[in-house]
Amino acid sequence: MFVAVCFAAGGWAGTRTATDSDLAIGEAGRATTIVADGNFDEHVRENVLITARSGRLDQAEAQAAAADAARRMGALEEEVLEVGKPVPSLKGDALLVPVTMAGDEEQAGENVQKVLDTTAAVQRDHPEVRVEQVGGRSIGKGINDQVSKDLSKAEFISLPVTLIIMLIAFGAIIAAGVPVLLAMSAVGAAFGLSALASHLVPAVESVNSVILLMGMAVGVDYSLFYLKREREERQNGASHTRAVEIAAATSGHSVVVSGGAVIVSMAGLYLANDAVFASLATGSVIVVAVAVLGSLTVLPALLAKLGKRVDRPRVPVLWRLTNRTGPPRVWPKLLRPALRYPLVTFLLSVLALGALALPALDMKLKSSDAADLPRSIPVVQAYDRLAAAYPSEGTTHVIAVRAQPSQAGDVRAELTELSNRTQDDPLFAKVTAPVIKVSNDQRITTLQLPTPHAPGTEDAERSLTELRGTLVPATIGTVRGAEYAVGGDIAGSADYSQNLADRMPIVIGFVLLLTFLIMAVTFRSLVVAATAMLLNSLSAAAAFGTLALVFQHTWAEGILDFHSNGSLVAWIPLFLFAVLFGLSMDYHVFVVSRVREAVRGGMPTREAVAHGISRSAGVVTSAALLMVSVFAIFATLSMTEMKQMGVGLAVAVFIDAMVIRVLVLPSAMALLGKANWWPGRIIRDKESSRPSFDDHPTEHLPAVVMPGR
């Protein structure tokens, strides 16, 4: 009922998407604000682009197609306000029919499909030429359709993959289905709650992808921890109700701690002062909170109700493999180097991860733009042809000026002079006349200054530097009292990256401090907390190095089907840092809790490390395999952001589970010995005998593992 109500409420309220004003940052943000204050009566514009399929453009065919397009568009009285005259390109290789949409941006978005259908009809009747539609709304629709297609693909693949991994982990169909049920219910509820939350924190397009990714990862993880511990306790002779109680006090406690760590880590993104991070943080916090809530309520209730039936029906071969009794065989052998030669193992593994992290020092960030969109989207291909034939229709700088009405003439004159000064500069595109707009109250004036260079390129950056540093101050800067700012895509990308550089230390510091405090309070140990911070930072750095190695170069383009622009999407590293620090706590809390249990049961540190890691190996390995598989699915999607997110998370989880847990963590804990628990000390549980690999110290665990009891 909770999931149904959340989902229905979200559908009823709708989603408020972030606007340009919400996303505005720095000087580019001030330019957006100035333009918005002008209350320009602007309508959304679409373009019908006519080009040759090959060779030279047949002008007669192009003119016929343009006339047909103008006639059909003009007949759309409710969708189209005005159709302009065909505009030939300077080289004569294209013909452009401007179409002004009726209504505001929202109405234009709703009506764009009918205009697209009309363009398609023109194409069918004029097959000799290529007829395409390009504009803000049509590009947005093409991207949204692709994102929806990608999400459907991710859901379609991730569900069977998750079920297969769960079957391998449990060997029983009901047990395999329970984690998937919790994960999908968390995702469904979070979709609805995030729609409600968007009216306070505007949503960005990627938020649903992040909710699905995070929900599947943590939802299944939390259930996996619970189920494995409950089964272990039943195998040790506890009744099914008692087994659920022990699982709640041990694995349930770990779920609460790790869930809190994820929430705190994601909440750090609010300090970035950026609408994208605020939206992604909100979606992540909601889905993790719902998953934790489900693990505290529905999951134990379901396990108590099902009892032993949770292990039905059994898959014969898998059941025998996953329910072997006796001491572990493989993991003690894997841990032997770390426990016999801890110093050598620690140094070699840290050096190897450090080498993998080295490319991160050369990490370059750039805001995502049209150049990063997948070329498989037809409207993106059309945009490329539009920008090539009409450079002024591509990237533009926007110079926005606020001044007194009496200065409107001076402002226009200086903007005209500014445009004239750029005409012989290769950093800017030539125009027949400057595009200057003045608000009705004469206070706001804007100039659109086109450039043939895409955002993120060196020439684009130089054009921005020349504008802000020389041209604008030398022209508009001479108008006394005028407020001005340079905006546009290039300026927005540069200011966004600068804001990230300024805010990153604050966010990282917040995440480190809060997760340190959580670990210190949970384990009553500053050393455990410091170790967790260092090891998580090491795995995150290695993941960033891998991202730079893969996406800033071209060697992996064929493997992952992307085009490298020599940089990473600007928001990805900081977002991944917050996610990885939270998710890494899943394993760290779970493993260290088992080690602590063994120490309280009377084991020496090295034996306790081997016991704790070996006994938790099955559940942690299954969880890691699941996370890596789900994240790897996102690496196969079309959007660059999703690819980078998927690769970064998959690599980090793999490193965290298989390198940190097998080599770095056990060697570090073996070297530290009793100092692991400083400044506290481990008090042996008097009711528990010293455990070994052949018996399980679990009969009194609720009294053992709950800190402070």
Side-chain angles (χ1 to χ4, degrees):
M1 287 184 65
F2 173 76
V3 174
V5 168
C6 290
F7 198 80
W12 172 78
T15 301
R16 180 195 164 202
T17 56
T19 63
D20 290 342
S21 297
D22 295 320
L23 299 170
I25 289 176
E27 183 176 339
R30 288 194 292 110
T32 300
T33 302
I34 293 173
V35 173
D37 289 345
N39 294 317
F40 292 99
D41 186 19
E42 293 185 343
H43 293 273
V44 173
R45 176 178 161 181
E46 290 287 314
N47 303 285
V48 177
L49 178 67
I50 302 168
T51 56
R53 292 190 175 277
S54 62
R56 299 186 61 181
L57 178 64
D58 188 320
Q59 295 298 326
E61 289 291 344
Q63 290 291 343
D68 191 15
R71 178 182 59 79
R72 295 185 189 226
M73 294 295 178
L76 300 176
E77 297 180 357
E78 295 183 1
E79 293 80 14
V80 174
L81 180 66
E82 181 183 7
V83 180
K85 294 181 179 180
V87 180
S89 64
L90 292 176
K91 297 179 181 178
D93 57 350
L95 200 59
L96 190 70
V97 180
V99 178
T100 303
M101 301 286 289
D104 56 18
E105 289 192 8
E106 183 176 352
Q107 291 174 311
E110 295 172 355
N111 295 333
V112 72
Q113 183 59 55
K114 195 158 186 180
V115 180
L116 284 167
D117 293 341
T118 302
T119 303
V122 176
Q123 174 64 91
R124 285 194 297 271
D125 291 344
H126 299 273
E128 298 83 3
V129 292
R130 183 190 289 114
V131 182
E132 302 168 294
Q133 183 175 322
V134 191
R137 298 285 75 77
S138 55
I139 291 175
K141 187 179 186 308
I143 294 172
N144 289 336
D145 290 346
Q146 186 64 48
V147 170
S148 298
K149 182 180 178 182
D150 283 351
L151 280 177
S152 298
K153 175 184 175 182
E155 292 172 359
F156 180 77
I157 299 176
S158 63
L159 282 177
V161 167
T162 301
L163 283 171
I164 290 171
I165 294 174
M166 291 299 97
L167 278 175
I168 295 173
F170 292 108
I173 293 176
I174 293 178
V178 168
V180 179
L181 176 64
L182 179 67
M184 292 308 297
S185 63
V187 170
F191 279 158
L193 292 175
S194 67
L196 294 175
S198 70
H199 294 277
L200 295 176
V201 182
V204 297
E205 292 176 356
S206 303
V207 68
N208 283 342
S209 300
V210 170
I211 288 175
L212 176 62
L213 186 148
M214 294 287 291
M216 290 300 296
V218 301
V220 174
D221 257 17
Y222 297 162
S223 303
L224 195 58
F225 294 161
Y226 240 104
L227 280 164
K228 280 287 190 179
R229 191 57 183 261
E230 187 266 350
R231 175 183 282 184
E232 181 180 326
E233 298 309 322
R234 281 194 287 109
Q235 290 174 343
N236 292 337
S239 67
H240 75 267
T241 303
R242 179 59 178 162
V244 174
E245 290 175 345
I246 296 174
T250 54
S251 295
H253 178 255
S254 297
V255 165
V256 174
V257 173
S258 62
V262 177
I263 290 173
V264 165
S265 296
M266 300 309 301
L269 294 177
Y270 288 116
L271 299 178
N273 191 30
D274 172 62
V276 174
F277 286 122
S279 175
L280 299 182
T282 301
S284 300
V285 166
I286 289 173
V287 75
V288 173
V290 174
V292 171
L293 179 63
S295 72
L296 296 178
T297 55
V298 177
L299 184 57
L302 190 60
L303 293 179
K305 184 67 175 177
L306 289 171
K308 295 181 180 179
R309 287 172 294 178
V310 74
D311 290 332
R312 306 284 181 180
R314 299 172 179 176
V315 181
V317 176
L318 293 178
W319 175 260
R320 288 195 298 271
L321 290 175
T322 58
N323 287 273
R324 288 179 174 176
T325 57
R329 299 175 183 177
V330 176
W331 284 94
K333 295 179 181 178
L334 293 177
L335 294 172
R336 190 171 299 160
L339 298 179
R340 284 191 178 181
Y341 313 102
L343 181 60
V344 174
T345 302
F346 181 82
L347 291 177
L348 289 178
S349 55
V350 169
L351 285 174
L353 291 176
L356 188 59
L358 277 178
L361 297 176
D362 189 39
M363 190 164 56
K364 296 179 176 61
L365 304 179
K366 185 179 80 68
S367 295
S368 182
D369 54 42
D372 300 312
L373 294 173
R375 266 44 209 170
S376 58
I377 303 177
V379 71
V380 176
Q381 300 174 16
Y383 173 82
D384 290 339
R385 285 186 277 268
L386 174 69
Y390 300 88
S392 62
E393 296 291 336
T395 306
T396 59
H397 295 288
V398 178
I399 294 86
V401 185
R402 180 188 284 115
Q404 295 299 320
S406 59
Q407 297 176 301
D410 294 337
V411 171
R412 175 182 281 275
E414 294 299 332
L415 288 176
T416 302
E417 173 61 20
L418 171 59
S419 178
N420 292 337
R421 292 190 182 190
T422 65
Q423 293 308 292
D424 295 326
D425 192 331
L427 294 175
F428 302 93
K430 291 186 177 183
V431 295
T432 54
V435 181
I436 297 175
K437 297 180 181 178
V438 183
S439 63
N440 292 332
D441 61 6
Q442 302 290 301
R443 294 179 181 274
I444 308 298
T445 308
T446 66
L447 167 67
Q448 293 188 5
L449 205 60
T451 173
H453 308 294
T457 61
E458 293 183 2
D459 286 338
E461 296 292 337
R462 283 201 293 268
S463 70
L464 177 64
T465 301
E466 187 171 331
L467 275 177
R468 287 179 170 177
T470 305
L471 295 175
V472 173
T475 52
I476 298 300
T478 62
V479 180
R480 185 181 299 274
E483 177 188 357
Y484 57 86
V486 178
D489 292 340
I490 295 173
S493 176
D495 292 346
Y496 189 85
S497 298
Q498 185 60 49
N499 179 70
L500 281 180
D502 295 339
R503 291 282 176 169
M504 192 173 292
I506 299 174
V507 176
I508 292 176
F510 175 87
V511 172
L512 289 175
L513 177 61
L514 266 293
T515 49
F516 179 87
L517 291 176
I518 289 175
M519 295 296 289
V521 170
T522 300
F523 292 100
R524 306 294 176 87
S525 168
L526 296 179
V527 174
V528 168
T531 303
M533 296 302 98
L534 291 174
L535 299 190
N536 289 347
S537 298
L538 188 60
S539 62
F544 292 158
T546 304
L547 275 178
L549 196 63
V550 171
F551 289 98
Q552 289 185 191
H553 301 86
T554 59
W555 64 270
E557 287 182 335
I559 301 173
L560 295 176
D561 189 24
F562 74 99
H563 174 70
S564 175
N565 59 12
S567 63
L568 301 179
V569 177
W571 59 267
I572 289 291
L574 189 56
F575 176 75
L576 287 185
F577 177 84
V579 173
L580 294 176
F581 246 79
L583 294 183
S584 294
M585 290 302 164
D586 278 356
Y587 305 141
H588 206 85
V589 170
F590 192 73
V591 171
V592 176
S593 293
R594 294 301 296 257
V595 174
R596 189 170 182 267
E597 290 174 24
V599 172
R600 293 193 68 167
M603 280 188 178
T605 299
R606 293 198 183 192
E607 191 176 342
V609 170
H611 176 85
I613 294 178
S614 296
R615 287 300 181 188
S616 62
V619 62
V620 174
T621 302
S622 299
L625 178 61
L626 173 67
M627 278 196 180
V628 171
S629 300
V630 172
F631 294 153
I633 291 170
F634 278 76
T636 67
L637 303 185
S638 301
M639 305 303 290
T640 303
E641 295 96 325
M642 296 301 103
K643 287 183 182 294
Q644 294 182 4
M645 191 189 308
V647 170
L649 289 173
V651 169
V653 170
F654 178 83
I655 290 173
D656 196 62
M658 303 307 297
V659 179
I660 298 294
R661 180 166 56 97
V662 176
L663 299 174
V664 186
L665 176 61
S667 60
M669 295 191 77
L671 286 171
L672 291 168
K674 292 182 179 180
N676 279 294
W677 318 109
W678 185 86
R681 60 191 181 92
I682 298 294
I683 300 176
R684 181 177 176 180
D685 182 38
K686 296 179 181 179
E687 300 180 11
S688 174
S689 61
R690 175 175 170 170
S692 69
F693 279 117
D694 296 308
D695 77 88
H696 302 268
T698 54
E699 286 301 317
H700 307 283
L701 282 179
V704 175
V705 301
M706 295 295 285
R709 291 192 178 183

